[in-house]
Amino acid sequence: MTQDAEPRLRILLGSSIAMGPGKADLLDAIGEAGSISGAARRMGMSYRRAWLLVETMNRSFKTPLVQAERGGRRGGGTSLTGAGREALRRYRAMEARAQKTLARDMEQFSKLLNPLSGD
Amino acid sequence: MTQDAEPRLRILLGSSIAMGPGKADLLDAIGEAGSISGAARRMGMSYRRAWLLVETMNRSFKTPLVQAERGGRRGGGTSLTGAGREALRRYRAMEARAQKTLARDMEQFSKLLNPLSGD
DNA sequence: ATCGGTTATATCCGTTTGAATATATCGCTT
DNA sequence: AAGCGATATATTCAAACGGATATAACCGAT
């Protein structure tokens, strides 16, 4: 067994990535964890990186995808906004549609690829 | 008018990008220019960068996509192999198919995006 | 034999990226 | 008032990235 090739979808807005596989996963994790720090922990990334990704997303969209609160019983927390849930849902739909549409092409394309070369 | 969002397709093999918009453009340029250095010039990138991209591609595929020659009347040159032309053709087809399939979704998604934020 | 243009490779350097750490602020809880 | 856990932000440091430059090898043309 070797890993196989994966098609990945990114939504580029100008020079910055508004949405992509990593950011979508982060949104999922924030939704589940209820905080940026919790999401970062379970994704094995630094809080700073997670916070920067969130900042990029919030700047890329009309309405912030993520809403943070400081203090409180649990020290604060972060939740997805309505726009956040919508953007995530739509991205996942596009991702799935792309995967499905390209499945046959990917089969062919994969035959050209070097099964080794994990890099 | 502001720039609008663009969906981009990458083919990931392990941790390295086997094919993507930039590499596909480079293959096109090499095909037209007949050399890595010429392609780099017309794309405004350094020879080093172009050469590294070619190296990554050649490592990612079973058969090299690009064949280089040294010396000779024109000092050498680089041409696409059969595999190179095939990979490029298939990638462009996938790209186009994805664009078409996602056009409607992108319309909706774009409504969520911040028209400013060129970064 | 030298020259030209290219591939191939190494080195240097500034920029960017990202982890690690530290600090301030917030607001509930005790 | 002190503690806690989280956000928000700055600073420091190492690694990765990429441009610029230099050099060697190649080989036909002159």
Side-chain angles (χ1 to χ4, degrees):
Chain A
M1 169 269 151
T2 52
Q3 91 265 313
D4 50 339
E6 190 191 356
R8 303 191 118 204
L9 179 67
R10 283 179 162 186
I11 311 296
L12 224 67
L13 181 62
S15 68
S16 65
I17 304 162
M19 187 58 63
K23 291 197 175 71
D25 287 349
L26 179 59
L27 287 184
D28 270 329
I30 288 175
E32 291 169 17
S35 73
I36 293 177
S37 60
R41 269 194 299 275
R42 70 171 69 186
M43 291 186 66
M45 73 171 66
S46 66
Y47 171 81
R48 179 180 175 273
R49 174 155 171 67
W51 187 86
L52 287 175
L53 291 173
V54 165
E55 199 209 14
T56 297
M57 283 191 275
N58 280 347
R59 265 188 301 105
S60 297
F61 287 80
K62 272 195 193 120
T63 306
L65 302 193
V66 138
Q67 194 173 23
E69 282 165 21
R70 296 207 289 188
R73 61 222 137 176
R74 289 185 169 165
T78 302
S79 55
L80 301 189
T81 63
R85 280 185 294 272
E86 183 182 358
L88 181 54
R89 180 173 54 80
R90 289 196 185 278
Y91 174 76
R92 290 301 190 197
M94 291 172 70
E95 204 180 29
R97 204 183 306 270
Q99 302 262 352
K100 186 169 182 179
T101 301
L102 300 180
R104 245 168 286 258
D105 297 275
M106 278 301 296
E107 255 178 63
Q108 296 301 312
F109 197 90
S110 292
K111 290 181 188 168
L112 303 174
L113 292 170
N114 184 349
L116 322 159
S117 137
D119 278 15
Chain B
M1 170 267 154
T2 53
Q3 91 264 310
D4 50 338
E6 190 191 355
R8 303 192 118 203
L9 179 68
R10 285 179 160 186
I11 311 296
L12 223 69
L13 182 62
S15 68
S16 65
I17 304 162
M19 187 59 63
K23 291 196 174 71
D25 287 348
L26 179 59
L27 287 183
D28 271 329
I30 288 175
E32 291 168 17
S35 73
I36 293 178
S37 60
R41 269 195 299 275
R42 71 170 70 184
M43 291 188 66
M45 73 170 68
S46 65
Y47 171 81
R48 178 180 177 272
R49 174 154 172 69
W51 187 86
L52 287 175
L53 291 173
V54 165
E55 199 209 14
T56 297
M57 283 191 276
N58 280 347
R59 265 188 300 103
S60 297
F61 287 80
K62 271 196 195 118
T63 305
L65 302 193
V66 139
Q67 193 172 25
E69 281 165 21
R70 296 206 289 190
R73 61 226 130 164
R74 290 186 170 164
T78 303
S79 56
L80 301 190
T81 63
R85 280 184 294 272
E86 182 182 358
L88 181 55
R89 180 174 54 78
R90 289 196 184 278
Y91 173 77
R92 291 299 190 199
M94 291 173 70
E95 206 180 27
R97 206 184 304 271
Q99 301 261 355
K100 186 170 183 178
T101 300
L102 299 180
R104 245 169 286 258
D105 297 275
M106 278 301 296
E107 256 179 60
Q108 296 301 313
F109 197 90
S110 292
K111 290 180 187 168
L112 302 174
L113 291 170
N114 185 349
L116 323 159
S117 137
D119 277 13

